[in-house]
Structure formats: C-alpha cells, structure tokens
Amino acid sequence: MASNIGRKRTLAKLSDKLIRESSHGAAAKTRSLYLQHEYLQFNDTVDLSKFTLQTIPVLLRSYQEQPPVVIYPPGAAPEVSTAVQFGIADISTLANYLGSCFSQFKSQHAASKDWLVQCFLTSQIGLASASILSVLDPVEQAMLTPYFNLLEDYVAIPWWRLCDSANQYDKFSPEHKLVEHMLVRTSEISWAAYRRWTQQFVSYAGARGNLNNLKIRRSSLRDFDMFQVYLWLSVLQGDSGIISKELVVFCAYIFKGIGIPWPMTLAGIRTLVEEISGRLTPEEQSVANRFMNGMINAFQAVV
C-alpha cells in the first residue's frame, strides 16, 4: 500500500530546487533544439520553463491528496472497495487545471505557431519529468509516472479540441457517429498498430533502446493515440489541412529530432490507417476514406 506517509516521503525527495533546476535545464535543452527554426518567438530559458514550474507542483499535490493505492498480486480477491484503484482519482479537476495553464501559456505566446508551442512543451515536459523521476526508486517512479504522463498527453493530444468540435456537431450525422464509434477503440487500435509496427522494425535501436523499451513503447502508443485524434478532428472539421499544417510538422520536428527515420513514421501511419479501416463499416468507410488518404498523403509529402 502507498500510504500517505509513503507519499510524503516520496515528495520530500522532490524539492522546489530540484523542480526548478529540472524545469530550467529541460527548457534550455529544448530551446537549443528549436533555435534553428525561424518561428521560435520565446524570449529566454526562464520564460520557457514557466509552464512546468506552474504545473508540476500541482501534479505532486494531486498525488499527495489521492486515496491510498493498493496493488494486489494476480488472482487475489480484494476485500476493499473497487473505488480504491491504481490511478488518478480526480482526473477531471486536474485536467481542467492543466487546460487552463496550457491556454494561458499559448495566449502569452500568441506570436508563435500553435504547433511550435505544442512541440516545445511536449519536449520540455518529457525532459523535465525524466530528470525529476530519476531521483526516485522504481516503485516511487511507477506511482508518480501516470501524473507526468497525463501532463504530456494533455499537451501532445488535442482531446479538448476534439471534444469542442464534437459538441458543436450534429450528433445524428454520419461523421459524429463515426467518431463516437471509433474513439472508444482508440487504445485497442493503437496497440494493434504498435505491435505490427514493431514487427516491421524489429532490428531498430535508437538512443533510448529498441521499440520494446518500456518508455519508447509508452510514447509510441501515445503517438498512435495522437494520430487517431487528429484524424477524427479533421473529420469533424471537414478539413484535412490540420494534419499537414500541425500533425505532420510536429512529427517532422520531434521524430527527426530524436533520430527516428521518416520511413518508420510513414510506415506507422500506414499501419494505423489499415487497422482503422479494418474496423469500419462500409458506410463509415465512405466518410473516413478521404481523410485517411489525406493523412497518408500528407506524411508521404515530407522529404
């Protein structure tokens, strides 16, 4: 059991100084990645670290306030309420706060393109999280990692834009029904695409290891989720342009920056589209085909 005392001991290792140094260090590393790009409008490293300096303490406070965590061995029958689970109990409140911080950060940097803000924050959060978690033991890391993952997912995946578009759409339309049907299968599709993708590139090994490395697997599954959300967002907005203007640019900077060959990315997109297509009815196919083809063509257009 991860008791309140255990949580306090964990958080005692994460001093304000550590968070500040990790945030500033991650911002400096990220800034160096993007300095070559003419669109970068951020002023200095201190400014770049504001987002993580504002949000990470809230993540840690949320972790402290969660109910105790109980982990049972396989097959064990718990005698406590099923409400006591491994995870983030009050995830909606935390997500709303993160949304407010993200919107505020983007408005402060209105001169920068949205996709660049997204690129920067995704990179910075990953670097800052790794630095902070490195001082903890493996069990403590496992307990805190979902909070950092939530932060990174919130920035990388435009769930809020998809929700806004869906709320404004005719709920009886073929497009809305398609998205509603497929969204619940997001994780299933990502896993299927990931398994096939890793089989295609079984010999690949990057700086962080091969594709079965736990951290790489997690980030890859998040990326497959992100691709799907962008696809359904383009369907609801009736515009494939957001894929080429945002998603492809984001992937080109991030993936090429960490050494993933573009043919691997393109292969992942094709595999994902095949997995999605195989789960669509003929009526859904007629709605989705234009956007799925548009996604493949947008990624193929990158040199």
Side-chain angles (χ1 to χ4, degrees):
M1 175 180 288
S3 64
N4 289 333
I5 294 176
R7 292 174 190 268
K8 289 179 180 179
R9 287 175 180 168
T10 297
L11 296 180
K13 299 179 182 180
L14 307 180
S15 65
D16 291 341
K17 180 182 178 182
L18 172 66
I19 295 171
R20 185 169 59 254
E21 290 178 348
S22 297
S23 296
H24 290 333
K29 290 179 182 178
T30 305
R31 190 170 189 267
S32 68
L33 292 175
Y34 296 106
L35 276 178
Q36 59 183 306
H37 307 306
E38 59 180 306
Y39 297 120
L40 186 62
Q41 300 293 327
F42 301 118
N43 295 320
D44 53 51
T45 303
V46 173
D47 185 54
L48 296 180
S49 63
K50 284 183 179 178
F51 183 79
T52 47
L53 284 173
Q54 184 177 4
T55 54
I56 288 177
V58 176
L59 293 180
L60 300 181
R61 184 163 64 247
S62 177
Y63 171 75
Q64 175 65 61
E65 294 171 353
Q66 294 300 304
V69 173
V70 181
I71 302 177
Y72 296 95
E79 298 180 358
V80 297
S81 169
T82 55
V84 181
Q85 303 174 24
F86 178 73
I88 305 173
D90 194 9
I91 194 169
S92 60
T93 299
L94 184 54
N96 287 336
Y97 177 82
L98 297 179
S100 175
C101 290
F102 187 40
S103 297
Q104 182 181 5
F105 188 92
K106 287 201 300 180
S107 67
Q108 291 171 349
H109 299 284
S112 297
K113 294 180 178 293
D114 280 352
W115 58 261
L116 187 56
V117 174
Q118 182 184 359
C119 285
F120 163 72
L121 288 180
T122 302
S123 299
Q124 192 212 8
I125 291 165
L127 291 168
S129 300
S131 177
I132 292 170
L133 290 171
S134 68
V135 305
L136 303 178
D137 65 41
V139 174
E140 292 172 321
Q141 290 179 11
M143 297 294 183
L144 266 175
T145 293
Y147 292 82
F148 289 104
N149 287 347
L150 174 65
L151 178 59
E152 192 170 348
D153 285 357
Y154 195 95
V155 170
I157 306 176
W159 289 110
W160 68 97
R161 291 167 60 191
L162 183 66
C163 291
D164 286 344
S165 295
N167 288 335
Q168 297 172 27
Y169 218 90
D170 177 5
K171 290 180 170 48
F172 299 100
S173 67
E175 292 81 5
H176 193 283
K177 290 180 179 179
L178 163 67
V179 174
E180 186 176 43
H181 171 220
M182 297 307 294
L183 269 184
V184 297
R185 310 186 76 173
T186 299
S187 295
E188 167 199 332
I189 292 170
S190 291
W191 266 108
Y194 172 77
R195 284 193 293 267
R196 288 180 55 194
W197 185 60
T198 55
Q199 290 170 3
Q200 293 178 65
F201 299 97
V202 66
S203 61
Y204 170 81
R208 295 184 298 170
N210 62 34
L211 296 178
N212 287 315
N213 174 281
L214 289 178
K215 291 183 179 179
I216 294 178
R217 179 191 303 171
R218 199 268 159 189
S219 63
S220 297
L221 289 170
R222 182 206 64 207
D223 292 337
F224 280 120
D225 287 353
M226 175 177 67
F227 297 152
Q228 291 180 73
V229 172
Y230 264 103
L231 175 63
W232 304 133
L233 182 61
S234 71
V235 169
L236 292 179
Q237 294 188 354
D239 179 17
S240 294
I242 59 174
I243 291 177
S244 58
K245 294 174 184 176
E246 297 182 29
L247 180 62
V248 173
V249 176
F250 173 84
C251 292
Y253 281 102
I254 294 292
F255 297 167
K256 287 185 177 182
I258 60 177
I260 297 178
W262 194 251
M264 285 183 63
T265 301
L266 180 56
I269 292 295
R270 287 173 172 158
T271 300
L272 178 68
V273 168
E274 289 174 4
E275 290 294 337
I276 293 172
S277 184
R279 291 167 171 78
L280 299 177
T281 66
E283 293 77 12
E284 291 171 335
Q285 285 276 5
S286 65
V287 175
N289 274 342
R290 175 166 69 93
F291 299 95
M292 292 191 296
N293 290 333
M295 173 176 272
I296 292 175
N297 291 336
F299 277 84
Q300 283 180 331
V302 175
V303 178

